[in-house]
Structure formats: C-alpha cells, structure tokens
Amino acid sequence: MTQKLLLKSALPAALTALLADHAVFAPTGEAERHAFTCLSSAEASETADAVNLDGLTTISPKEILFPRSETLYGIGLENGEISTPEPTGPTVIFGVRPCDVRSIANLDCSFLEKGFVDTAYVQRRENLTIIALACKELQSPACFCDSMGGGPASAEGADIMLTETADGKAFLVSFLTAKGEAIEKLWETASVLTEPNSADTAPPPPVCTLKVDKPQDLPAKLMAAFDDPAWERLSESCLGCGTCSYICPTCYCFDIDTEISGGKAEQLRCWDCCMFSDYSRMAGGHDPRPTKKERLRNRFLHKLAYFDERHGRTLCVGCGRCIAKCPSGVDIAHVIEWGGTL
C-alpha cells in the first residue's frame, strides 16, 4: 500500500483526469437531493464545484451497480432476435463513505456468491473502482456503523481511501488494490499527487454517539423470537411506505416485468420492497405475509438473521438512513438491542 497527498486545490484536476477514461459518480446536491450523480466532462472548476463531500448522501450509491430500473434483454417479435444493453465502461465512485463501501460488499454477496452470479451486476462490478472518503466528523446522530463491524475510517472494500488532513486542506490518499494503483498512475501522470510530510496528519476518526449492543448470537436470538408478540407491537406504527428500503444501501428486492412496444418485448427489472402489501402475493391471491407484522418481521430478520446465516455477515451496515428518514420512527437499532436481551 502506498500513500500520497492530494491537495483540495488539485481536486478539479484529479476529477478531470478520471473523466478522460471513466464515468465518474460523486455526491452532488444538498438535503433530500444529496446523491451520487454522473459528472459531466465540463470545465474542471464547474465539475469540482458541483461535488458535495459534506455529510452522508440521502441516497446511497447502490443504484450505480443495481439500477432502480433496467432492461435485462429484449426480443424482436418478428425475427426473434435477442438484444442486450451496451456494457458499461470503466466507472469510478468518488467520495463513498465507509458504511456505503461495506454495503457494496454485502451486495456482492447477494449477486455474486453461492453459485448464483447476476450477469448484469457482475459486469458493472468488474468495471468499478471505489474511492472511499473516511469520516472526519460524525455524519449523522443516527449512524452506528462501529456497532456493526465497520467504522468511520474503515477501508474494507475500498480501492482507494481518502482521509482529510487535520488542517482540512488536503487528503491523504491510500492506494489499496490493483484498481487503486491504476488510478495512482493516472494521477501521477496528471501531476495531482504530492508526497506527504510529517505535518500532513489525519485526526482520530469520530466515534458514533449511537451505541448498539449487538450480540454475536443475534441471528439465533431473533429466530427464537419468531412468534414473539413484540413484532405485532412494533408493526403498529409502520406505514408500509417502503422509505426504509429505497434509501437503504443494502436492500436488493426487485420485480421483473415485460413491456411490449415498437415490435419488441423487453424484460425489465426494477426495485421493489418487501414491505409492500403485494410483494409476496402469489398467483391465486395467497400471501404468506398478509399483514404488516409478517412483512416487518421478515425485513428485520433478513437484515439481522437470514443474511448472516447465509453469508456470515450482517446485512445492515449501520448507516442510520432508515432511522433518520422513517416517518413513524421505526428503529432497527431498537430491534438489535431488543434481540440482544432475549
């Protein structure tokens, strides 16, 4: 691993160098519109000014790998010819917080492991380089990433880690993988990196104020409480709106449908939510999760038990988005702590 210094004043040149050969996604906008967007190859100063590295984005970078809606393939109705979307080229996600980097590792488990490889996902993933940004300050009072095995400065899953220096004028840049080293060569050619000196230090990472006591045997405890009446009480305030799923960086429920138009049938995939009343409804009208209680229980057991049993890691990364944005105050941290007392 090598470490260099990237001055903030050199950020426009660094982004411009990336844009020459990559699609670059970075946080832009504010408040509810704070999300990862694809930067244009406009003037360097305009590109850098559009980037907002303050705080945790409201919308995670999940959709770069797992789009909200995508065409899987099409079939010509007259000739039977099969068409597939153009593959994506080299892509960079810039300024990803550690919790969201860990969420991508969880998506990898879902789409690439256990003998089931999603071809649409794997092509995007192979072409992706992740440039993470360590948290210099606590991003949200609802964040509890260090209780879920991560941390504000965790580099797990990143190709490059940026850490802001104590004086706030630069980033210490750690190149962690072969993909990261390729970007290092690119930036060296563009002369945007310098050698750090003894004064270029990073402050200690912040500590999450929300502490969640997550026991090692949480999956077993929650499964043992499958019929506990607490699930009914917890579901009473839930609106079933799906906000939690759509802003969650690790939810990956989807629906598949077919659209026919212009002499062509297309197979489409789009995000769905297990909290919706018709998500698990089967042909003939039977629904194994007919009420909010069953649906909410399934959501939390998937996050905290089922995924762990299958992949050996908890699906929740502790970003706190669902806690902050739930309109009725349903709190996954409360469920974790409740499970810890069982």
Side-chain angles (χ1 to χ4, degrees), residues 76-94:
L77 298 180
E78 293 185 1
N79 56 19
E81 182 177 342
I82 298 177
S83 60
T84 56
E86 290 292 325
T88 59
T91 303
V92 168
I93 309 180
F94 183 89

Side-chain angles (χ1 to χ4, degrees), residues 7-312:
L7 296 175
K8 288 188 176 180
S9 60
L11 185 57
L15 292 172
T16 299
L18 291 174
L19 284 164
D21 298 305
H22 301 79
V24 180
F25 291 82
T28 63
E30 297 179 352
E32 302 305 319
R33 295 183 180 273
H34 194 195
F36 285 83
T37 58
C38 190
L39 302 181
S40 67
S41 55
E43 292 184 10
S45 59
E46 295 178 1
T47 298
D49 288 343
V51 175
N52 178 8
L53 297 178
D54 294 332
L56 181 69
T57 57
T58 300
I59 307 298
S60 79
K62 172 176 67 176
E63 62 183 309
I64 299 169
L65 284 165
F66 175 42
R68 300 185 190 200
S69 180
E70 64 176 319
T71 298
L72 299 176
Y73 62 88
I75 301 176
L77 298 180
E78 293 185 1
N79 56 19
E81 182 177 342
I82 298 177
S83 60
T84 56
E86 290 292 325
T88 59
T91 303
V92 168
I93 309 180
F94 183 89
V96 191
R97 295 294 178 180
C99 56
D100 283 341
V101 179
R102 292 189 73 239
S103 75
I104 293 174
N106 284 345
L107 292 176
D108 289 349
C109 293
S110 304
F111 288 104
L112 303 179
E113 294 186 0
K114 302 297 182 181
F116 300 97
V117 175
D118 187 287
T119 54
Y121 181 93
V122 70
Q123 190 270 330
R124 298 187 189 99
R125 187 67 178 92
E126 289 175 347
N127 287 331
L128 179 65
T129 300
I130 301 173
I131 302 179
L133 175 61
C135 299
K136 186 178 181 180
E137 299 176 348
L138 190 62
Q139 301 304 302
S140 165
C143 172
F144 58 102
C145 62
D146 55 7
S147 296
M148 303 306 290
S154 171
E156 179 192 351
D159 298 301
I160 299 172
M161 173 60 82
L162 306 178
T163 306
E164 190 174 350
T165 55
D167 62 11
K169 295 181 179 180
F171 297 108
L172 290 168
V173 189
S174 300
F175 300 93
L176 307 173
T177 67
K179 288 181 178 179
E181 291 168 357
I183 299 298
E184 180 183 13
K185 293 178 182 178
L186 179 66
W187 280 347
E188 291 281 11
T189 301
S191 301
V192 299
L193 298 174
T194 59
E195 293 294 332
N197 56 49
S198 58
D200 297 316
T201 60
V207 177
C208 297
T209 54
L210 176 56
K211 295 298 180 183
V212 181
D213 185 14
K214 176 182 173 290
Q216 291 294 323
D217 56 350
L218 179 63
K221 287 186 171 183
L222 289 176
M223 289 301 297
F226 190 86
D227 295 317
D228 196 293
W231 296 113
E232 180 70 44
R233 296 193 298 272
L234 185 63
S235 69
E236 289 174 355
S237 61
C238 176
L239 303 178
C241 64
T243 297
C244 52
S245 290
Y246 280 86
I247 63 172
C248 175
T250 64
C251 278
Y252 54 89
C253 290
F254 60 84
D255 189 19
I256 291 181
D257 201 357
T258 302
E259 283 191 2
I260 300 176
S261 64
K264 189 179 192 179
E266 289 188 330
Q267 195 83 53
L268 306 175
R269 175 165 68 182
C270 63
W271 289 1
D272 206 342
C273 174
C274 62
M275 291 303 302
F276 292 161
S277 59
D278 59 350
Y279 177 78
S280 55
R281 188 173 298 131
M282 303 177 182
H286 174 67
D287 190 344
R289 304 184 196 121
T291 72
K292 283 191 300 181
K293 181 195 78 173
E294 288 89 4
R295 294 190 288 272
L296 182 135
R297 179 179 60 193
N298 176 74
R299 171 176 165 75
F300 284 130
L301 288 181
H302 180 220
K303 291 286 182 190
L304 306 173
Y306 302 151
F307 193 87
D308 195 312
E309 291 177 346
R310 182 170 175 80
H311 298 287

